[in-house]
Amino acid sequence: MFTMPKAHPPEFRRDVVAVARKGDATLRQIARDFGISESCLHHWLKVADVDDGVRPGVTTAESAELRELRKRNRTLEQENEILRRAAAYFARENLPK
């Protein structure tokens, strides 16, 4: 059975990115020293560049806001569908016989 590795805390990520940006060692060595994969470190650097405005893209905060808005939109659509069905049901109940 495959399990996802535990996510690293944001403070850890910030520290690793700061060390990598200093440029005192290769990314491979930094990744090995911190016990993460080199591709993971590349991803963290890319995300940090976007968040810091160095690279264009959707920031972490914008992504979280978009995710929350999509969730809220789904909820509102479900509530709207329930209300629509209830209105149709009650409209049938009140038809003259």
Side-chain angles (χ1 to χ4, degrees):
M1 183 169 95
F2 178 75
T3 59
M4 289 294 295
K6 197 168 190 176
H8 296 287
E11 303 81 27
F12 177 76
R13 291 180 186 206
R14 278 194 300 273
D15 292 345
V16 174
V17 167
V19 170
R21 283 182 172 170
K22 283 183 186 175
D24 294 340
T26 65
L27 294 182
R28 175 175 286 151
Q29 184 60 47
I30 293 168
R32 193 177 310 133
D33 290 348
F34 284 98
I36 59 173
S37 69
E38 195 173 346
S39 63
C40 181
L41 179 55
H42 280 287
H43 176 71
W44 289 357
L45 286 167
K46 183 179 174 183
V47 169
D49 285 347
V50 171
D51 286 346
D52 294 342
V54 176
R55 174 186 288 212
V58 180
T59 66
T60 305
E62 291 170 335
S63 180
E65 180 183 14
L66 184 58
R67 192 170 36 257
E68 190 61 38
L69 289 172
R70 285 180 176 155
K71 181 179 175 183
R72 177 76 175 133
N73 192 38
R74 256 190 323 275
T75 302
L76 290 172
E77 286 174 349
Q78 289 171 350
E79 290 172 355
N80 198 12
E81 181 61 27
I82 290 169
L83 291 172
R84 192 173 315 141
R85 289 181 183 191
Y89 174 78
F90 288 120
R92 278 194 307 253
E93 287 283 316
N94 293 329
L95 287 176
K97 295 182 182 180

